[in-house]
Amino acid sequence: MADASQGNSGRFGLGQSGRRSTVTGRRTISWRTRIALLIFVLVASVVIWVTNSALTDRFTQNTRNRAELRLALYGGNLVSELRRNSIVPQLLSRDPALIGALNSNDFSQSTQRLISFVDEIGAASLMLLDRDGRTVAATDRNRLGEAHAGTGHFVDALRSSSTVFTVAEREGIGYRFTYSRKVESQGETAGVIVVEVDLQKFERAWAGISDAVLVTDSTGNIILATEPRWRGLTEGAALVREPPDSAIQRAIQATADWSVLPADAYVKGEAVMRVSSRLPFRGWQIASFTTYSSVREKVNGVLALEIMGFAILLALAFYALSRKNALRMAFFQEESAELRALNERLQREIAERERMQQSLKVAEQTLAQSSKLAALGEMSAAVSHELNQPLAAMKTYLAGAALLLRRNRPEEALSSFQRIDDLIGRMGAITRQLKSYARKGGDTFAPVDVGDSLASALSMMEPQLRQRQVRITRALPERQVMVMADRLRLEQVLINLLRNALDATSSVENPAIDVILSAGETATITVRDNGTGIENLDDLFEPFYTTKQPGDGVGLGLAISSGIVNDLGGRLTARNAEAGGAVFEIQLPILNEEIEAAE
């Protein structure tokens, strides 16, 4: 054992003196090493300080630029909404039906006429007041009979010969923005038309994107704000009044560590970034407060990586110093050979990796080109499929119009031409919608009445259903069923399902289609036919899968419909009915009053 011990000591070149020299080397560090460590710490500190300063300025400017861009977009949308509604009173004040109703005091059809305008105009509500200020017609039937004789929008409209804009405070829910104009008949005042503009929708939209946004009028009072308690106050009073533990206060807290951020405003002593802009409308101004938290997170992430890198380097340096004397003499020759072999192996691996990267680059370029060609083919097929339905309906209407003209019935023929014009507009909307498939989103959803969408889809398919003499059975609930969706895309899905049901019943003696709408935890739309059923349920929703003859379809209808329903947060399923035929079901999240208020 003694010989073996001595042999091992000789092999590694370590004896008692070697171990003593190692311990001494560990206890003492040369002055050169100490200077090197001090320089390393100074360099690390300078690099971290410079990085923090440069990245803070850069990310702060980027955040400010984004805030300014968002604010310009908000202001443009707000002014556009106001200007779009400003022309409505002038048009409605000249409506012969409304003037005739004011002269004859017969307002039985006036409310319905205003309701027919509100969807096209996009206003919050429309009201027709008589010369005494009493509401005689309104899109909100609950407001019929209200007295407006002493209100500003009624009095100012009677005194002015043009449209009057009024901002009035509503009790507990902010402000009411109205355009009003008097209605004249044979030079005398017959009444006043009032158009209420819905600006609260911008507050709801801003609250989901920006930290805090407010709009002030020419007197400096806040009339629109993402925080309801700010309305009616000046900006300074609103910031002072805001408690530090509120949601908006937490949103605009700014961290002060490692940063020299310029404070544009202070909320309870905390710095925030304030961006404001003047709106070209009655001296209004819009302002937003943006938190520095995103800037701090990005900067701290980079600083953490730098500090970790320097710490690892420092740890490696100390480790190298502690092991230097012990390993330098014992493994010098062996490590030299191993390092040479490792170096050669690494060089071979590097060369092989470079060749693989070159091959990967060529493969990526080939895949990108193939993807472009596939996307182009899919888009062309989708355009052909989606435009086929309006074109078929237009062909039917044109044939009907020609028959009506031959029978000397031009008024009914004009109705067919108007439907053809509506179909042309729908084709343009479809092409715009198909362009959005490549973007995968960006459309804004809104509350949609599913019953109205079903009625519109059935009206679109009316010529084909009447030509085939298909029996349509509809089962709808008494109350409205509302969902959050894009109405055009939802109608597109319904039309695709009705078209497929119509094709499936082409060989049936007594074709029938059942359309059922039910509302529970979800809104369920069921389209059932008595056709031949579905042969292959597994591949039904795959692109370009079709059982139709060449030229009758490209197999994209159900694939596109399934994608649209998924984008709306629902699902589209299919099965065969026990009595024969196919059953398609669309399930969408239902929009109740609480969800609608939150949206």
Side-chain angles (χ1 to χ4, degrees), residues 39-103:
I39 293 175
F40 177 84
V41 173
L42 291 177
V43 170
S45 301
V46 171
V47 169
I48 292 173
W49 183 83
V50 171
T51 302
N52 174 72
S53 179
L55 292 181
T56 298
D57 293 339
R58 177 183 174 184
F59 291 143
T60 300
Q61 187 61 38
N62 291 341
T63 302
R64 183 179 296 275
N65 292 339
R66 287 195 297 270
E68 291 175 352
L69 183 60
R70 270 200 312 269
L71 202 64
L73 179 62
Y74 293 167
N77 292 340
L78 187 63
V79 174
S80 176
E81 182 73 13
L82 290 169
R83 290 178 177 173
R84 183 169 60 86
N85 285 272
S86 65
I87 196 64
V88 176
Q90 182 179 358
L91 298 177
L92 295 182
S93 65
R94 301 175 183 176
D95 186 78
L98 298 181
I99 296 175
L102 289 172
N103 291 332

Side-chain angles (χ1 to χ4, degrees), residues 518-535:
S518 60
E521 295 182 355
T522 61
T524 304
I525 308 168
T526 304
V527 179
R528 181 170 54 202
D529 61 69
N530 62 345
T532 57
I534 304 171
E535 296 180 0

Side-chain angles (χ1 to χ4, degrees), residues 406-425:
R406 285 196 297 271
R407 294 181 179 179
N408 198 18
R409 294 160 64 182
E411 291 81 6
E412 298 180 21
L414 287 176
S415 176
S416 296
F417 290 137
Q418 179 61 40
R419 292 190 176 184
I420 292 173
D421 184 70
D422 295 339
L423 288 173
I424 292 174

Side-chain angles (χ1 to χ4, degrees), residues 115-263:
I115 292 175
S116 66
F117 290 142
V118 73
D119 290 335
E120 298 177 1
I121 296 171
S125 66
L126 302 175
M127 291 188 298
L128 180 65
L129 313 179
D130 61 12
R131 59 173 58 91
D132 296 326
R134 183 173 59 90
T135 304
V136 295
T139 55
D140 184 3
R141 299 181 185 274
N142 296 326
R143 305 187 66 176
L144 292 175
E146 285 184 357
H148 296 264
T151 59
H153 56 262
F154 178 78
V155 176
D156 293 343
L158 292 179
R159 295 175 180 175
S160 176
S161 60
S162 60
T163 302
V164 177
F165 178 76
T166 307
V167 179
E169 188 171 3
R170 289 192 292 191
E171 192 172 345
I173 53 175
Y175 288 83
R176 178 181 285 113
F177 307 89
T178 57
Y179 282 102
S180 59
R181 187 184 182 96
K182 65 181 178 181
V183 180
E184 295 182 343
S185 176
Q186 297 179 357
E188 295 183 359
T189 301
V192 173
I193 188 72
V194 179
V195 178
E196 184 174 346
V197 186
D198 183 14
L199 297 186
Q200 277 72 29
K201 63 183 179 181
F202 294 105
E203 291 180 331
R204 297 188 293 269
W206 298 339
I209 300 175
S210 300
D211 296 329
V213 181
L214 58 85
V215 178
T216 59
D217 58 11
S218 58
T219 62
N221 291 328
I222 299 175
I223 56 177
L224 291 173
T226 54
E227 183 66 20
R229 70 183 70 195
W230 286 7
R231 301 190 190 106
L233 304 175
T234 62
E235 182 178 337
L239 297 180
V240 172
R241 179 179 178 181
E242 188 64 31
D245 58 345
S246 68
I248 192 63
Q249 180 67 21
R250 290 194 302 270
I252 58 178
Q253 289 289 339
T255 57
D257 57 318
W258 297 83
S259 64
V260 188
L261 300 175

Side-chain angles (χ1 to χ4, degrees), residues 450 475-483 516-525 588 590-591:
V450 181
L476 305 178
E478 295 182 356
R479 64 184 182 88
Q480 288 183 332
V481 180
M482 305 297 294
V483 298
I516 304 171
L517 173 61
S518 60
E521 295 182 355
T522 61
T524 304
I525 308 168
L588 295 173
I590 198 166
L591 182 65

Side-chain angles (χ1 to χ4, degrees), residues 444-459:
T444 302
F445 293 164
V448 175
D449 187 347
V450 181
D452 292 344
S453 297
L454 277 173
S456 178
L458 288 171
S459 176

